[in-house]
Amino acid sequence: MLFRRAEKRDYTFTLADEEAAKILGIELDGISVDKAKEATFFTCLRILSDTISKLPLKLHQETGNGTRKATDHYLYNLLKLRPNEYMSSSTFFKAVEWNRLYYGHSIVYIDTIKAGRHAGRVKGLYPLDMDKVEIWVDDKGVIDRNNAIWYIYNTLHGQMKLKHDEVLHFFGMTKDGIQGMAVKDYLKTLVENAQGGQSYVNEYFKNGLFAKGILQYTSQINPEDEVRMKERFQRMASGVKNSGSILPVPLGFQFQSINSTMADSQFLELNQLSMQQIAAAFGVKMHQINSLDRATHSNIAEQQKEFYVDTLQSILVMYEQELSWKLCTKKERNEGYFWRFNVDSILRSSPKERAEYLKIMGESGYISRNEGREQENLPRVDDKNADTLILNGNAIPIDMVGEQYIKETSPKGGEDNE
């Protein structure tokens, strides 16, 4: 055995729908095998995917004069605008983040120029279908150095064998740094319970809010009449159109409900608990999935900052480190190039708070007027003083404190004469 397959925590195959599962003898009882179809699970996928996709990604360079945007680098517009000819930057990161969340990791193929003066330059970035990706580890070092990682992509035209430096590999949770842990697998029972709750509500409304029950009768009837009587009652009682209508019961028959109500089964409490547990697994705050029971106008802003610190920051750092290592050459990294997301859109405060911040930064000499205007997306002012750092006139060096109170004395020889 020259290679070992990395431990696979996802299923080798997927069941497309309930009918496919039944062919294999699996009874799903109305529960979809696609966890993304559960409302809370899907909402968490959407929130995190949308959040990552809307953050601007910029290439920066650290220099002796500070950090600058590397707008003159060919990669700057590639990731800012269009990583490949088929996807905008927003669409690209939405797809990458969705795969990372759903499968536990996401793999992107780095397409480079193979020959010529620009050989090695990145032409495009393409997210791979994670259902077709396998990860192999070369234990014996037959092809490459010891423990080299290979990504096998199974296409309709055969297999693509990609080395670790030919792909971007973004993780969720992982215990070995090779294979990601899929949230859908670790929340399998919980998500299926939530799907069962949705199915319960759907059937309840399909039946016109009409409960199941027992139809009692005093006389003996044959099996054929039983079937006809059952079908007759179902036609009269089931369906939304029959909701609230009068149900005629023939003489000698009695209907008794055997279904508990939603309140009796504590449906709402259990459903809320499932929502909280699924959202917590993704790091999504409850107010983001429209659960506003404990939310107020003031604490939602704080929860948004907590969402960045507790959830987004580690995700963004993971993206930035992988992009900086794989897309920038060793020479470029030594020259100070690195990728960074702009999170101002998430942490952006109220207009009053921003005005106070800019006032303090400007009067303290940290930023010029034009730098402050750029932060607010306002045009620069054509004034030489707009690029000059200023200080409040009351600020003086510490070794000069008190000198302003020393009275000036006239020179020897008496008072000055006019």
Side-chain angles (χ1 to χ4, degrees):
M1 181 66 177
L2 301 180
F3 294 89
R4 68 175 176 85
R5 188 193 302 266
E7 182 182 352
K8 191 164 181 66
R9 297 180 179 88
D10 296 337
Y11 294 109
T12 304
F13 58 91
T14 58
L15 303 175
D17 51 32
E18 185 176 353
E19 293 301 320
K22 288 182 178 179
I23 293 175
L24 298 176
I26 303 173
E27 183 59 47
L28 297 176
D29 195 23
I31 305 301
S32 170
V33 295
D34 186 357
K35 302 297 183 293
K37 292 183 179 179
E38 196 281 318
T40 305
F41 193 92
F42 173 81
T43 302
C44 292
L45 288 174
R46 182 190 60 77
I47 289 172
L48 284 167
S49 298
D50 286 351
T51 300
I52 298 297
S53 69
K54 71 183 179 183
L55 295 178
L57 179 65
K58 305 289 180 64
L59 181 64
H60 294 77
Q61 183 185 18
E62 292 180 352
T63 67
N65 295 324
T67 301
R68 72 175 188 91
K69 295 178 184 176
T71 56
D72 54 345
H73 197 286
Y74 82 97
L75 283 174
Y76 185 87
N77 283 326
L78 182 74
L79 263 71
K80 178 185 176 183
L81 301 176
R82 210 160 190 85
N84 61 66
E85 62 267 36
Y86 307 109
M87 300 179 186
S88 65
S89 181
S90 175
T91 303
F92 171 83
F93 279 106
K94 187 175 294 187
V96 170
E97 178 65 7
W98 194 96
N99 278 318
R100 190 191 69 83
L101 293 169
Y102 191 78
Y103 293 98
H105 58 160
S106 181
I107 299 174
V108 176
Y109 170 57
I110 305 174
D111 186 19
T112 58
I113 299 174
K114 307 304 179 185
R117 185 164 60 94
H118 298 299
R121 280 195 173 190
V122 178
K123 288 196 302 183
L125 303 173
Y126 298 87
L128 300 183
D129 183 352
M130 294 302 296
D131 282 327
K132 300 177 181 178
V133 177
E134 297 178 3
I135 301 176
W136 293 76
V137 179
D138 184 1
D139 282 352
K140 305 299 182 181
V142 174
I143 297 180
D144 207 333
R145 63 187 180 278
N146 291 336
N147 295 321
I149 300 174
W150 292 82
Y151 299 86
I152 311 302
Y153 188 49
N154 300 293
T155 69
L156 295 176
H157 306 290
Q159 288 186 338
M160 288 180 61
K161 298 178 178 63
L162 305 172
K163 295 189 294 185
H164 67 93
D165 57 355
E166 293 180 301
V167 299
L168 297 168
H169 196 175
F170 303 113
F171 287 96
M173 291 291 290
T174 178
K175 70 178 184 181
D176 56 11
I178 298 175
Q179 186 81 17
M181 298 181 181
V183 178
K184 63 184 176 65
D185 291 340
Y186 288 88
L187 291 178
K188 181 176 183 294
T189 301
L190 187 63
V191 173
E192 287 179 354
N193 289 343
Q195 288 179 318
Q198 289 181 359
S199 179
Y200 173 76
V201 174
N202 291 342
E203 290 300 321
Y204 198 65
F205 277 92
K206 284 180 181 178
N207 291 329
L209 306 180
F210 187 81
K212 296 178 181 179
I214 299 175
L215 184 63
Q216 297 179 338
Y217 48 90
T218 56
S219 61
Q220 294 288 336
I221 60 176
N222 58 52
E224 292 78 10
D225 291 335
E226 284 184 1
V227 173
R228 285 196 293 269
M229 183 60 67
K230 177 182 176 182
E231 293 174 349
R232 177 184 175 187
F233 268 84
Q234 286 179 335
R235 287 195 303 270
M236 290 188 297
S238 299
V240 177
K241 65 180 180 180
N242 293 320
S243 177
S245 61
I246 297 175
L247 176 64
V249 180
L251 186 64
F253 286 78
Q254 182 180 358
F255 180 82
Q256 180 180 356
S257 175
I258 60 173
N259 262 16
S260 60
T261 64
M262 290 188 182
D264 293 334
S265 60
Q266 293 184 313
F267 176 81
L268 296 179
E269 290 83 354
L270 294 174
N271 189 51
Q272 182 71 9
L273 178 61
S274 296
M275 289 175 58
Q276 292 174 355
Q277 291 173 317
I278 294 173
F282 281 99
V284 171
K285 303 301 179 183
M286 291 302 293
H287 76 274
Q288 294 177 293
I289 57 175
N290 293 328
S291 180
L292 304 175
D293 294 342
R294 299 182 182 179
T296 64
H297 177 72
S298 59
N299 69 10
I300 283 183
E302 291 302 316
Q303 289 184 63
Q304 191 69 4
K305 293 179 181 178
E306 290 178 5
F307 173 64
Y308 167 71
V309 174
D310 299 339
T311 304
L312 278 186
Q313 193 169 22
S314 64
I315 297 174
L316 297 179
V317 169
M318 176 270 303
Y319 274 112
E320 291 166 352
Q321 290 178 348
E322 182 74 358
L323 290 168
S324 297
W325 185 260
K326 295 286 185 68
L327 297 187
C328 296
T329 64
K330 182 178 180 180
K331 179 176 180 293
E332 289 170 340
R333 292 195 299 270
N334 291 336
E335 292 174 350
Y337 286 94
F338 65 94
W339 291 96
R340 178 170 293 171
F341 284 95
N342 186 348
V343 297
D344 288 345
S345 59
I346 297 176
L347 303 178
R348 199 170 181 83
S349 53
S350 66
K352 180 180 178 181
E353 292 174 330
R354 294 200 305 274
E356 292 175 351
Y357 161 78
L358 293 173
K359 180 175 182 292
I360 294 172
M361 293 292 286
E363 292 181 350
S364 301
Y366 289 106
I367 61 174
S368 65
R369 277 191 294 158
N370 272 336
E371 288 172 330
R373 292 177 66 85
E374 287 177 354
Q375 291 188 24
E376 294 299 304
N377 294 320
L378 297 173
R380 294 173 59 86
V381 176
D382 188 13
D383 182 355
K384 63 178 181 179
N385 292 324
D387 290 311
T388 303
L389 297 178
I390 62 173
L391 282 172
N392 191 303
N394 294 324
I396 60 175
I398 191 170
D399 58 354
M400 294 180 61
V401 173
E403 290 188 7
Q404 66 270 36
Y405 300 109
I406 300 176
K407 294 183 179 180
E408 294 184 1
T409 58
S410 59
K412 292 181 180 181
E415 295 181 355
D416 296 335
N417 295 323
E418 294 183 359

